[in-house]
Amino acid sequence: MRKDGVTNFLLLLIAVALIAIAVKRYIDPAPAEAQTSAHSFYIEPGVQMLRMPNGSGQVYGKVVVDLRNGKIWGFPTGSLNPYPSYPTDNKPTVSRPFALGRFAFEDTDK
């Protein structure tokens, strides 16, 4: 009979602890916080034909706007795929951006 009493006491203790954990969420809920990223970029949907600023040629790529300063970047993809892909290369490709221009966001405050 002693074993039954210890088991019931431990089960009661576990049940009380679980109820305390559940009730704590309602009494003192954690505040909701928005996540911010280090970079504020807008990535234009689709792939565009990008003209090199020095006039040396054109290449397919993604247009990315840095919303902090208005700079517009072109990330070459080399094809109509939304990511850089070169079929002859077996390893992942890195696309290096080049400057396309700049939006003067500061002029909108006038």
Side-chain angles (χ1 to χ4, degrees):
M1 211 52 157
R2 175 97 171 124
K3 232 179 200 182
D4 241 3
V6 172
T7 303
N8 287 341
F9 174 74
L10 289 176
L11 288 174
L12 178 66
L13 185 66
I14 291 170
V16 169
L18 287 174
I19 290 171
I21 290 170
V23 169
K24 182 180 183 241
R25 301 279 181 184
Y26 290 106
I27 294 173
D28 186 24
E33 297 177 5
Q35 295 179 354
T36 60
S37 65
H39 302 288
S40 297
F41 291 129
Y42 171 73
I43 300 173
E44 182 75 24
V47 177
Q48 309 295 324
M49 180 62 75
L50 307 175
R51 190 172 12 168
M52 304 262 184
N54 59 7
S56 64
Q58 296 177 343
V59 65
Y60 283 113
K62 300 287 279 182
V63 176
V64 178
V65 179
D66 187 344
L67 298 176
R68 296 171 298 170
N69 54 24
K71 290 183 180 178
I72 306 165
W73 298 95
F75 284 84
T77 60
S79 67
L80 290 174
N81 292 331
Y83 53 87
S85 63
Y86 299 100
T88 58
D89 199 1
N90 291 337
K91 55 187 174 183
T93 307
V94 177
S95 178
R96 304 276 181 219
F98 57 89
L100 294 175
R102 183 176 171 278
F103 288 119
F105 290 147
E106 64 275 3
D107 289 350
T108 61
D109 294 333
K110 295 180 180 180

